[in-house]
Amino acid sequence: MRLPRLEPALHRRAAQWLLSCGSLPETLAHGAASGDWGFTADALIDDLAIGQLFTGLRSGELDQLFAGMDLKAAGPATDLVRAARELSQCDVERGLSHLHHAGASWPQHPSGRPRN
């Protein structure tokens, strides 16, 4: 028996568990399947893996995964991933636009100082 309304929640739960186990590829796959693009982008950035969009064995796979990111997904992490995707495809203008948007929406510096 399939319960389609439960699938996003189950994928989200699996992604959170996989993240706690250190399994980034599976975390990203389940995060994307859940439709929680903020979580999925955060996971990529928090693991310091955003550079994998530019180079490496998984760059094509990551590009395809994040190509499905909902246009409504908002936040600094999603903007940063969008910027990386655009820049990896040599679209500097769009990449910089996303970078500026990410920078403007990034939270205050962890020390409490205002960002420069």
Side-chain angles (χ1 to χ4, degrees):
M1 170 189 284
R2 291 193 68 183
L3 300 170
R5 291 187 307 241
L6 289 179
E7 285 182 23
L10 292 173
H11 279 295
R12 188 174 303 108
R13 191 173 216 173
Q16 291 167 341
W17 181 79
L18 288 161
L19 182 64
S20 72
C21 295
S23 182
L24 185 63
E26 290 83 3
T27 296
L28 298 177
H30 282 283
S34 77
D36 189 342
W37 291 106
F39 169 85
T40 307
D42 281 338
L44 182 73
I45 292 167
D46 288 348
D47 201 68
L48 304 177
I50 195 163
Q52 292 179 20
L53 278 165
F54 295 95
T55 186
L57 298 175
R58 298 190 57 236
S59 61
E61 178 186 328
L62 287 172
D63 182 64
Q64 273 196 313
L65 179 85
F66 283 101
M69 185 163 36
D70 188 345
L71 295 174
K72 296 177 187 175
T78 56
D79 286 328
L80 192 56
V81 170
R82 284 185 181 108
R85 283 193 69 246
E86 298 295 348
L87 292 170
S88 74
Q89 297 169 10
C90 300
D91 191 338
V92 176
E93 188 175 318
R94 288 182 69 184
L96 288 176
S97 174
H98 287 299
L99 277 178
H100 290 299
H101 198 264
S105 62
W106 211 266
Q108 189 172 9
H109 189 275
S111 71
R113 298 184 321 240
R115 290 182 306 105
N116 293 334

